[in-house]
């Protein structure tokens, strides 16, 4: 392959990863060295089910893409085997899944990332990993909103029954 074609192919890869960074609400960088094929398959399935794209990317490609999107502070995490979990919808999902996976195996190490357009430290990522998911928060909100309505309905029913009891006497 001529050198120009190699350079063009790398430039296209950088453009693809740059677009992933631009569209992502979070991107978590991990070292995945030592995972078995079954573990990688399981991790990818968990991430895919949560709408997270998991990509193994060469360090020089991901470094250039991160720099192009203003995330130069991530340069130090791009060493060794690097994979990035990109989420375009739920900023917490990749952190939750990867943290849980890392807690259960020594083969996955979270190195850093971005959350909501800001470079996140390892401590911040771990904090985000403990937050409830979007669905859990929506469920809690629905329960909170539903409770006063339920109490009001019970009060109306009690008043109605009291009035009916009074009419019968």
């Amino acid at each position: 392959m001529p050198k120009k074609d190699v350079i063009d192919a790398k430039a296209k890869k950088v453009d693809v990863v740059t677009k992933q960074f631009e569209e992502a609400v979070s991107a978590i960088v991990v070292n995945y060295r030592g995972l078995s094929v079954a573990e990688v398959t399981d991790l990818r399935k968990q991430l895919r089910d949560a709408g997270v794209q998991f990509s193994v990317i060469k360090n020089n490609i991901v470094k250039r893409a991160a720099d192009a999107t203003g995330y130069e502070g991530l340069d130090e995490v791009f060493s060794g085997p690097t994979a990035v979990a990109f989420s375009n919808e739920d900023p917490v999902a990749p952190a939750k899944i990867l943290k849980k996976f890392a807690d259960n195996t020594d083969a996955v190490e979270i190195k850093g990332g971005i959350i909501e357009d800001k470079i996140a430290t390892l401590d911040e990522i771990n904090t985000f990993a403990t937050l409830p998911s979007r669905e859990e928060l929506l469920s809690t909100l629905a329960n909170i909103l539903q409770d006063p309505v339920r109490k009001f309905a019970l009060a109306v029913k009690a008043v109605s029954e009291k009035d009916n009891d009074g009419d019968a006497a």
Side-chain angles (χ1 to χ4, degrees), residues 13-35:
K13 288 179 185 176
V14 170
D15 290 343
V16 167
V17 178
T18 299
K19 186 175 180 185
Q20 286 177 306
F21 271 113
E22 289 171 347
E23 294 175 352
V25 292
S26 68
I28 307 299
V29 181
V30 296
N31 177 342
Y32 62 93
R33 181 181 295 155
L35 282 180

Side-chain angles (χ1 to χ4, degrees), residues 5-166:
D5 291 343
V6 171
I7 291 171
D8 288 344
K10 285 184 179 180
K12 286 179 185 174
K13 288 179 185 176
V14 170
D15 290 343
V16 167
V17 178
T18 299
K19 186 175 180 185
Q20 286 177 306
F21 271 113
E22 289 171 347
E23 294 175 352
V25 292
S26 68
I28 307 299
V29 181
V30 296
N31 177 342
Y32 62 93
R33 181 181 295 155
L35 282 180
S36 68
V37 173
E39 290 172 324
V40 170
T41 302
D42 181 37
L43 178 58
R44 283 184 184 273
K45 182 184 180 323
Q46 289 180 43
L47 291 166
R48 187 175 43 252
D49 289 348
V52 178
Q53 183 180 359
F54 188 70
S55 303
V56 175
I57 308 169
K58 289 187 173 189
N59 288 321
N60 61 347
I61 302 285
V62 73
K63 181 184 178 308
R64 287 183 182 155
D67 289 351
T69 51
Y71 300 123
E72 296 90 359
L74 285 177
D75 288 354
E76 63 194 42
V77 300
F78 302 130
S79 62
T82 300
V84 185
F86 294 99
S87 177
N88 295 351
E89 297 172 12
D90 186 353
V92 177
K96 269 183 118 44
I97 295 167
L98 290 168
K99 170 89 168 93
K100 183 178 176 186
F101 209 87
D103 288 345
N104 294 327
T105 178
D106 292 335
V108 173
E109 172 195 2
I110 298 174
K111 299 196 285 185
I114 60 160
I115 298 175
E116 297 285 342
D117 297 327
K118 293 183 178 70
I119 294 175
T121 65
L122 194 53
D123 288 339
E124 291 169 331
I125 292 170
N126 287 330
T127 299
F128 265 83
T130 61
L131 292 175
S133 69
R134 182 176 189 273
E135 289 75 23
E136 292 168 332
L137 289 173
L138 289 174
S139 175
T140 301
L141 178 62
N143 287 336
I144 289 170
L145 294 175
Q146 186 179 15
D147 193 49
V149 173
R150 185 180 59 78
K151 286 179 180 174
F152 179 73
L154 289 173
V156 168
K157 181 180 176 190
V159 168
S160 172
E161 287 174 355
K162 184 178 179 188
D163 286 346
N164 287 341
D165 288 347

